[in-house]
Amino acid sequence: MKLWKGRFAKEVDPKTNDFNSSISVDSRMFAEDIKGSIAHATMLAASGIIEKSEGDKICAELEKISEEIESGKLIIDPNAEDIHTFVEGELTERIGDAGKRLHTARSRNDQVALDVRMTLKKECQVMKGQLKDLIQVLCNKAEAYSNAVMPGYTHMQRAQPITFGHHLLAYCEMLLRDFERFEDAEKRMDVMPLGSGALAGTTYPLNREMTAELLGFAAVSQNSLDGVSDRDFCVEIAFAVSMTMVHLSRFCEELILWCSWEFKFIELDDAFSTGSSIMPQKKNPDIAELIRGKSGRVFGDLTALLTMMKGLPLAYNKDMQEDKEAVFDAVDTLKLCVTPLIPMIETMTVLTENMRNAAAKGFINATDCADYLVAEKGLPFRDAYKITGELVALCIAENLTLETLPLASYQAVCSAFDEGIYHAISLDTCVNERKVLGGPAPENVKNQVKRVMTIIEELK
Ligand code: ARG
């Protein structure tokens, strides 16, 4: 059934009908479409635009249709043009004339804008819930490994010692920002567009605030052209998802490195690893790799949305039908990725010995050696830096570490050194003393875990 049949002498060519249809993508919005229609009909009746009895009839039947789709009793027609057409057609078939009044003072242009907003509002709640769970599991691990010393890297070279808990908390910070980005995008999504009509509003005396209130929107759109043409909220959600995927892909990349034989800082549980069809010894971090890989498709969705909207004249253009596939794919991909990531982190084994051994190599305490000369012996940092560089070169030449270099060799380079240097450069000192706000010291990690947990408990 076509809503716009009247003007046409012919049916749409069947293959073209498939091309034009969005039902495969927008049928997931059936519940929102129906809720929107119920609110619209309720408002129309309350405003005296349709009879109260007709409004009641429409709402009762729409409820039934929603339940029947939900339970699988009513199958959405895959040949329908879109979900709006299907629901209205079904309603009219069931209740006749009253059904035909539902679309008074409404266009599919403002209807689809409403449905997408409602669907994404719901999805934001789900994604935010997942982010909270992910932050929680990272906090639990950070707490458990607050004093596990590991090398921190710059340029993928061992740089300075940190703690594993501190490293995990870095991801908590990123995910907290992601959470905020979703919250921020939600604010601009929380605007109700019904009443914009096709593009120019309507002559009917609508109570738009009432519709907004019935649907739980904070505001109504203020310009009918913008009301039907705005897809900023789709782009913003796709960006919030993309940024989150950047963070997940960075974390997954580290998990992949850490479980390689070259690092062996962690071991993933068998339930979250896969084997090779030819190499019997292999245990591969496929899940982490897939998450890293899927970030690419999400950035594709964001690019698709931006490119689709770029240069579009006002108001509605059919190009915009492409919004849903892209933004829903971004949302679904994020949800899909977080689902196995949480238990994968929960069940991984952390090989603290290996981390510590790695931290004991690579002159990771060289900065602390220079800091010792500054703090204990009053040397300017640049001089201390140069002396330490010479000591490192000496160690490399003699196959020693700063820990095993004899005091006499230290003193040969700079007479100010005494026994205290060994304490100053011990890994534990290096880590425990980094207790500046934001630093990796175990006591900081414990405090930061508390801070993050308090924040997420308050998040909605
Ligand atoms: N399926 C359409 C979409 O997703 C709904 C709006 C159609 N409006 C129109 N005038 N053709 O954008």
Side-chain angles (χ1 to χ4, degrees), residues 22 26 81-82 84 108-109 112 231 316 318 320-321 323-324:
S22 56
D26 61 24
E81 189 176 329
D82 50 35
H84 329 295
R108 278 182 300 162
N109 296 352
V112 73
R231 293 293 183 275
Y316 178 84
K318 188 79 168 194
M320 288 156 71
Q321 177 164 289
D323 61 354
K324 288 171 282 302

Side-chain angles (χ1 to χ4, degrees), residues 305-362:
L305 284 165
L306 286 168
T307 315
M308 186 258 295
M309 291 308 291
K310 175 196 167 296
L312 265 194
L314 301 185
Y316 178 84
N317 295 274
K318 188 79 168 194
D319 313 44
M320 288 156 71
Q321 177 164 289
E322 290 284 300
D323 61 354
K324 288 171 282 302
E325 201 167 345
V327 75
F328 292 160
D329 182 71
V331 166
D332 293 344
T333 304
L334 177 62
K335 292 195 298 185
L336 202 64
C337 289
V338 180
T339 303
L341 182 59
I342 291 175
M344 187 166 80
I345 299 167
E346 235 161 15
T347 55
M348 73 185 181
T349 307
V350 182
L351 304 168
T352 52
E353 278 272 309
N354 294 350
M355 287 181 175
R356 200 183 167 91
N357 290 341
K361 293 178 201 141

Side-chain angles (χ1 to χ4, degrees), residues 116 120 185 189 230-243 298 301-310 323 326-327 330:
V116 179
L120 289 177
M189 202 185 291
D230 173 25
R231 293 293 183 275
D232 296 5
F233 58 97
C234 294
V235 177
E236 287 190 56
I237 287 298
F239 175 70
V241 172
S242 294
M243 207 59 239
V298 170
D301 292 328
L302 173 62
T303 309
L305 284 165
L306 286 168
T307 315
M308 186 258 295
M309 291 308 291
K310 175 196 167 296
D323 61 354
V327 75

